[in-house]
Amino acid sequence: MNTTPLHITAAHISQIKSPAQFVELLRYLLLAEARANEIAMRGVHVPAQLTVSDGGEDARIEWQGGRESTDYVPRRVTMFQSKATSMPKGKCLAEVKADDGTLKPAIRDVLAKGGAYVIFCTDQCTGSRLRDRLDGLEQGIREAAPGEFAGAKLEFYDANKIANWVNLHPSVQVWASEQIVGTPTAGFCSWETWSRNPDLHVSEYSFVPGPLRDNGVPGLAEIMESIAGTAAAPRSVVRVVGLSGLGKTRLVLEAFRPPTSTTLANGDLQRAALAASVLYVPAAVGRAELTRAIIGFRDRQISAVLVVDECDPDSHRQLSNIVRHADSKMSLVSLDFDLERVGDDPLVKLRPVSDEVIRSILAQAYPGLLEPDVGRITTFAQGFPLMAVGLGRDRLA
């Protein structure tokens, strides 16, 4: 089975017509770029509303300390204007101006800080066409703010450059394959596609992070926090094991669930970046091919959170060695029903959940169940969520 994500081309980027989808691509790219370059997540901002007048800004990234720039973020303060439309020279010139002809406030703010202004556009243009667009931006700045920002850092990212940027981050590449091209990959998948697996019952009930059946500590919420916290660090490994039916895969999915708020403030930024970096690998992918792909990621110093399902002890041992390599920027979460500890890697043993959790799941998934049925199913399920879901479905059939 092929685990190589579909190569994104400039033609794929050019076919994007939805402004919301295009800015979502920009969001994924900025989160991945920040995480790969160890930029503090609190500096990434992509506003939720594109139709609200914001002074010429769709996204901004800024940070202090560390490197001065990255391959695709030219300054410590860089503002992006997303345009899922053609932007010839005249439009570029007009784009930097407010209605009264002055420089848009957000652009002025960024340039005054010595930052960069980037048009992020679906146009395909190289050579003279690209130069024309940059000339339009430069002319617009001169006319809107005469003598103020000579030599300002201005960039025009066309479909060719954006495609190259996407292909630098496999997690974004997979997302783009699924969401933009409409071609899911046979091996890796993004968090979003993983969440639509019907076996996880995400559409039937919200995850209930309650206590375990034995009231042991930690509970589900603490386990999820521990998994996500460990995986946030490059070269980290955690193994999640438990009997079939306990909901290991759903638990790990929820540990990386992105925030519902699109403002991405404070701690939400870390969660959003982790979700954007997830590459989920289903059980059907062969070990040899998966190993080759992950070695390739290591050698290219790709930053990603690898979640490998039904990963037997030998496969975990092999993948762990790759992820822990000094050149790696990846982390690994492996899942399996084999309870064996592998080496010294952190181990999470999932145990049956409380009757309280089972009842909450049944109430959401099957609101038509009568209380006597809920009680009997809860007793029979013995803290196994998937057993409860199956019994509830059978009872209403």
Side-chain angles (χ1 to χ4, degrees):
M1 183 176 290
N2 182 17
T3 56
T4 302
L6 177 68
H7 184 76
I8 302 301
T9 67
H12 292 139
I13 301 300
S14 292
Q15 75 184 28
I16 301 173
K17 304 303 179 185
S18 165
Q21 188 179 60
F22 199 44
V23 84
E24 188 68 7
L25 174 62
L26 175 57
R27 183 197 310 274
Y28 267 81
L29 284 168
L30 289 177
L31 290 170
E33 189 79 1
R35 188 169 187 274
N37 290 279
E38 299 181 352
I39 294 172
M41 290 298 152
R42 62 181 177 273
V44 183
H45 176 62
V46 183
Q49 301 297 327
L50 301 180
T51 56
V52 176
S53 177
D54 56 8
E57 176 177 354
D58 282 331
R60 181 190 297 229
I61 182 169
E62 55 185 301
W63 71 93
Q64 295 179 344
R67 59 191 307 166
E68 294 291 329
S69 63
T70 76
D71 289 340
Y72 288 89
V73 182
R75 295 281 170 85
R76 288 182 184 273
V77 181
T78 299
M79 192 183 90
F80 291 82
Q81 186 72 41
S82 174
K83 293 293 178 182
T85 185
S86 179
M87 289 292 291
K89 180 178 179 178
K91 281 190 176 182
C92 287
L93 188 155
E95 184 60 34
V96 302
K97 296 180 180 181
D99 291 341
D100 61 0
T102 61
L103 192 61
K104 287 182 176 179
I107 300 176
R108 173 177 291 280
D109 176 66
V110 167
L111 296 185
K113 294 177 179 178
Y117 174 66
V118 180
I119 293 287
F120 184 83
C121 184
T122 53
D123 269 351
Q124 287 191 67
C125 51
T126 56
S128 61
R129 295 180 65 202
L130 180 59
R131 185 64 254 173
D132 279 347
R133 284 154 174 78
L134 288 171
D135 286 346
L137 293 176
E138 292 169 358
Q139 182 178 340
I141 297 293
R142 288 196 303 271
E143 293 177 3
E148 290 191 64
F149 299 112
K153 184 64 174 176
L154 308 173
E155 297 280 359
F156 189 97
Y157 286 7
D158 78 320
N160 296 284
K161 189 157 188 171
I162 294 169
N164 290 338
W165 191 4
V166 169
N167 290 321
L168 186 66
H169 298 290
S171 58
V172 184
Q173 193 180 17
V174 166
W175 181 87
S177 297
E178 298 163 348
Q179 305 297 322
I180 297 172
V181 184
T183 305
T185 57
F188 300 112
C189 67
S190 68
W191 187 94
E192 288 185 25
T193 296
W194 176 21
S195 72
R196 291 195 291 271
N197 183 336
D199 292 337
L200 299 180
H201 307 285
V202 172
S203 63
E204 297 173 42
Y205 66 89
S206 298
F207 189 77
V208 184
L212 299 175
R213 190 175 180 83
D214 57 10
N215 289 319
V217 178
L220 293 178
E222 292 81 9
I223 290 172
M224 292 163 57
E225 184 178 350
S226 173
I227 292 170
T230 299
R235 295 180 294 281
S236 64
V237 176
V238 60
R239 185 158 173 80
V240 181
V241 298
L243 299 176
S244 296
L246 285 174
K248 298 181 295 297
T249 305
R250 178 70 188 269
L251 173 81
V252 176
L253 173 83
E254 298 296 338
F256 295 111
R257 177 176 287 277
T260 54
S261 170
T262 48
T263 55
L264 301 183
N266 302 323
D268 285 346
L269 290 161
Q270 182 70 32
R271 290 171 54 206
L274 282 175
S277 298
V278 164
L279 287 172
Y280 173 75
V281 186
V285 174
R287 186 202 300 180
E289 190 166 4
L290 175 61
T291 300
R292 284 195 297 271
I294 294 178
I295 288 174
F297 292 167
R298 180 201 65 192
D299 293 345
R300 292 161 55 198
Q301 294 196 306
I302 295 298
S303 176
V305 177
L306 304 170
V307 179
V308 184
D309 215 341
E310 295 192 24
C311 182
D312 62 74
D314 287 341
S315 296
H316 173 91
R317 189 176 293 106
Q318 189 172 34
L319 296 178
S320 177
N321 288 335
I322 299 169
V323 167
R324 290 186 180 281
H325 191 279
D327 292 338
S328 170
K329 288 188 174 182
M330 299 174 289
S331 58
L332 170 68
V333 180
S334 76
L335 296 81
D336 198 28
F337 54 81
D338 190 316
L339 305 183
E340 175 187 339
R341 176 178 287 277
V342 183
D344 296 326
D345 289 338
L347 183 70
V348 174
K349 285 188 178 181
L350 188 58
R351 306 189 305 281
V353 301
S354 68
D355 288 353
E356 170 191 335
V357 170
I358 296 297
R359 283 180 169 274
S360 179
I361 290 172
L362 292 172
Q364 294 183 67
Y366 308 113
L369 280 175
L370 300 177
E371 173 54 33
D373 292 325
V374 171
R376 282 192 290 270
I377 291 172
T378 300
T379 299
F380 282 127
Q382 293 292 298
F384 283 68
L386 295 187
M387 183 181 295
V389 170
L391 290 171
R393 183 188 303 111
D394 293 342
R395 183 66 186 88
L396 291 177

